[in-house]
Amino acid sequence: MRRFNRRTQVVFLAALLAVMLLGVYLVGALIPESAYASNYLTAKQPPSWAHPFGTDSLGRDLLMRTLKGLSISMTVGLAASAISAVIAVLVGIAAATGAKWVDAVINWIIDLVMGVPHTILVILISFALGRGLRGLLIGIAATHWCSLARLIRGEVLQLRNETYIAVSRRLGKGSGWILAHHLLPHLVPQFFVGLILTFPHAILHEASISFLGFGLPPEQPAIGIILSESMKYLSTGMWWSAVFPGLLLVLNVLLVDKLGDQLRRILDPSSAQE
Amino acid sequence: MALEAKNISFRYSRKEPWVLQACDLSLARGERLALFAPSGYGKTTLARLLAGYLTPTEGQVLLDGAPLPKTGVCPVQLIFQHPEKAINPRWRLKRVLEEGGILREDILDAFGIERPWLDRFPRELSGGELQRFCVARALMSGADYLICDEISTMLDVITQAQIWNVILDEAARRNMGLIAVTHNRHLARRVAGRIYDLSRRQWDAADSNGA
Ligand SMILES: Nc1ncnc2c1ncn2[C@@H]1O[C@H](COP(=O)(O)OP(=O)(O)OP(=O)(O)O)[C@@H](O)[C@H]1O
Ligand SMILES: [Mg+2]
């Protein structure tokens, strides 16, 4: 991929990702439950034309289950990263424009949240909120806004000193107007890059927490659940039940991560010319 | 009815030296004065103080006897030396103008602002073209006092004359107070009734007609 410039790479990645995400999402949402219903006659089958990913110990088709699981994981991941990006923008702006003590308190909280390992925090929060989707969402969102909030804070601090903002004030515009018209539009790219960069984290956290049994309930075929079930049967030689869902998860995460990284570099003026 | 600097002193921080000390200045509506000094004597600083962009360390800036209003359109508008800094780079120029108030076709025409420019972004115009937008925006805001901080140093003679003609016309018509900050003695003589030399802290001898 070295031969293509960054913009081409981003467009290519974004297109690939869009197709893949949309495909997975649509298929996942459209799959009827019957497609991955248990069927003891087809239990523990290795990959074949009828079941490309094989079947699990209950005879459920693993391709369908994986797609459904990815679709759920992606919904959780998207929702969690969107919430955390919104938190980051609000907190970042509050820190940059609020009183000194507000900034100090926010910085203190950021240090605190960043100091504790995410997985432990997410487990604690989602456990305290009674597991399930809601706890998981809040747990992931509450732990992933920190670095974006820092970035936004710095950006707003710099913007606040721009001459055109001072001019706007002298032309009679209030703080709310300036925030909506001068500041927020400037933060849109950061918001989306932050969201995209958080997305793979969110999916991985969802998968790992569910895998550990603290996240989504077992009846939802999230990727973490599929992987954790497949672990039980790995020793019996059912390699396919872990390998295919795992690979698809990793592929998704890598793609999104790569896209976010390239976008970030395009927006970063020091490497934008590459 | 006047804009006054009453015994103002200013330094950018405690550690830095005074830029201005015990400075007095008064400008009535309808009056035009030029501020003249070599580089680094605090012309821009004084201009920013008078328009409320900076607060004096000591002393006061008064408009008709009261401090400058903190909210609403400020009756004292400053035009900066570098127009590209005074304009949001992400906005089309139509939006930039509308921030100042309702578009006035007569001002656009007087400045020779071509209508297609309104749909462009600031980086797609030259410095001189941008400066016309900054002046137009300030005029459309309905200001009573206009402070021009070396607004035409980067412009060619013809453009310079055009811009100043519009400003002088408008100032006369609306009975505005005008301060022109400049390095250029000829320009100072042409646009202003009196000239204050900040480096010698005196009204210019040649043109002095009141202090
Ligand atoms: N933001 C700032 N922080 C600290 N010092 C400053 C700042 N702006 C200006 N100064 C200092 O204040 C002094 C006066 O600067 P000012 O810009 O007012 O001069 P000027 O007369 O407008 O010069 P010029 O003709 O070059 O525009 C200078 O010594 C400058 O170094
Ligand atoms: Mg200056």
Side-chain angles (χ1 to χ4, degrees):
Chain A
M1 293 256 263
R2 267 283 133 241
R3 273 175 295 122
F4 301 108
N5 71 18
R6 191 157 275 143
R7 261 163 217 282
T8 326
Q9 276 192 46
V10 165
V11 173
F12 182 72
L13 276 173
L16 195 68
L17 204 73
V19 169
M20 199 159 139
L21 292 191
L22 208 71
V24 168
Y25 187 78
L26 282 183
V27 170
L30 293 176
I31 292 173
E33 260 182 64
S34 59
Y36 51 89
S38 0
N39 178 356
Y40 292 100
L41 295 176
T42 57
K44 302 186 186 179
Q45 288 186 355
S48 64
W49 283 116
H51 304 286
F53 281 18
T55 61
D56 67 3
S57 60
L58 297 178
R60 295 176 292 199
D61 181 70
L62 268 173
L63 174 61
M64 290 299 149
R65 238 172 104 71
T66 304
L67 286 178
K68 184 78 185 175
L70 267 182
S71 161
I72 292 179
S73 296
M74 272 160 33
T75 315
V76 174
L78 197 64
S81 21
I83 298 173
S84 87
V86 170
I87 296 178
V89 169
L90 295 181
V91 170
I93 290 177
T97 58
K100 271 217 170 67
W101 67 267
V102 175
D103 193 23
V105 168
I106 288 175
N107 274 315
W108 182 77
I109 295 177
I110 290 180
D111 285 339
L112 196 72
V113 175
M114 285 180 110
V116 183
H118 281 168
T119 314
I120 294 178
L121 264 183
V122 180
I123 291 179
L124 284 179
I125 295 176
S126 91
F127 202 73
L129 291 171
R131 299 176 55 179
L133 188 62
R134 197 176 61 117
L136 200 59
L137 273 182
I138 297 179
I140 296 172
T143 48
H144 283 77
W145 50 271
C146 298
S147 45
L148 182 59
R150 278 234 165 105
L151 195 84
I152 299 245
R153 172 181 173 272
E155 196 76 23
V156 173
L157 279 180
Q158 200 185 338
L159 273 178
R160 252 165 53 111
N161 288 329
E162 292 287 346
T163 305
Y164 62 82
I165 304 266
V167 171
S168 190
R169 227 170 253 293
R170 301 274 98 196
L171 287 170
K173 306 303 184 203
S175 303
W177 195 95
I178 289 175
L179 182 69
H181 292 84
H182 284 295
L183 293 182
L184 285 183
H186 191 101
L187 300 174
V188 167
Q190 268 86 1
F191 174 83
F192 281 109
V193 171
L195 194 154
I196 293 175
L197 283 174
T198 318
F199 184 64
H201 276 258
I203 291 189
L204 283 181
H205 273 298
E206 183 272 311
S208 64
I209 306 283
S210 296
F211 179 84
L212 293 173
F214 296 105
L216 294 177
E219 53 292 358
Q220 271 175 310
I223 284 285
I225 304 282
I226 298 175
L227 288 177
S228 104
E229 279 170 7
S230 70
M231 288 312 276
K232 292 186 216 148
Y233 296 94
L234 213 51
S235 56
T236 66
M238 284 174 62
W239 54 271
W240 60 87
S241 65
V243 167
F244 290 120
L247 272 182
L248 219 54
L249 175 68
V250 169
L251 190 64
N252 252 300
V253 166
L254 281 181
L255 266 181
V256 181
D257 194 57
K258 181 97 179 149
L259 175 72
D261 202 48
Q262 298 288 16
L263 271 181
R264 186 177 54 72
R265 284 180 204 215
I266 282 186
L267 288 175
D268 179 7
S270 60
S271 59
Q273 303 312 321
E274 288 173 32
Chain B
M1 298 294 274
L3 176 65
E4 293 169 291
K6 278 218 185 300
N7 197 29
I8 55 173
S9 302
F10 184 83
R11 55 181 169 187
Y12 279 95
S13 75
R14 273 173 195 284
K15 281 175 229 127
E16 276 169 86
W18 293 98
V19 179
L20 293 168
Q21 271 188 301
C23 186
D24 277 302
L25 199 73
S26 163
L27 177 79
R29 280 194 70 166
E31 225 183 337
R32 304 193 308 260
L33 81 79
L35 264 182
F36 182 85
S39 193
Y41 273 88
K43 300 185 297 295
T44 298
T45 306
L46 181 57
R48 284 170 180 269
L49 284 163
L50 287 172
Y53 285 86
L54 294 172
T55 315
T57 317
E58 285 163 19
Q60 275 186 303
V61 173
L62 299 175
L63 180 66
D64 302 337
L68 290 175
K70 286 252 180 289
T71 56
V73 182
C74 183
V76 185
Q77 288 291 329
L78 172 63
I79 301 164
F80 292 83
Q81 184 171 1
H82 303 288
E84 62 282 355
K85 295 213 173 120
I87 288 179
N88 186 336
R90 289 157 188 262
W91 282 15
R92 288 182 199 279
L93 284 140
K94 184 156 198 273
R95 200 163 166 207
V96 171
L97 283 181
E98 282 165 352
E99 200 180 16
I102 296 163
L103 283 194
R104 272 181 50 192
E105 300 285 331
D106 59 327
I107 290 187
L108 297 188
D109 288 334
F111 278 122
I113 290 178
E114 293 172 19
R115 296 307 182 270
W117 295 354
L118 293 177
D119 292 320
R120 294 204 199 157
F121 287 101
R123 62 166 183 281
E124 296 166 341
L125 288 175
S126 76
E129 288 160 354
L130 279 187
Q131 191 61 288
R132 297 181 219 188
F133 279 92
C134 287
V135 184
R137 177 174 64 178
L139 289 177
M140 289 175 193
S141 76
D144 297 328
Y145 296 87
L146 201 61
I147 304 176
C148 305
D149 184 8
E150 299 191 57
I151 61 168
S152 55
T153 22
M154 77 240 266
L155 307 181
D156 64 88
V157 187
I158 296 173
T159 316
Q160 201 170 338
Q162 183 192 28
I163 291 187
W164 276 109
N165 282 337
V166 182
I167 294 178
L168 291 176
D169 276 357
E170 189 75 8
R173 209 168 57 73
R174 280 165 42 185
N175 197 32
M176 296 167 75
L178 186 69
I179 297 181
V181 176
T182 179
H183 278 139
N184 183 334
R185 260 184 204 283
H186 299 293
L187 184 70
R189 287 215 183 83
R190 198 170 98 59
V191 302
R194 48 193 184 123
I195 302 177
Y196 187 71
D197 189 332
L198 206 55
S199 59
R200 288 181 291 157
R201 303 187 54 105
Q202 65 186 28
W203 294 97
D204 201 300
D207 302 73
S208 149
N209 46 14

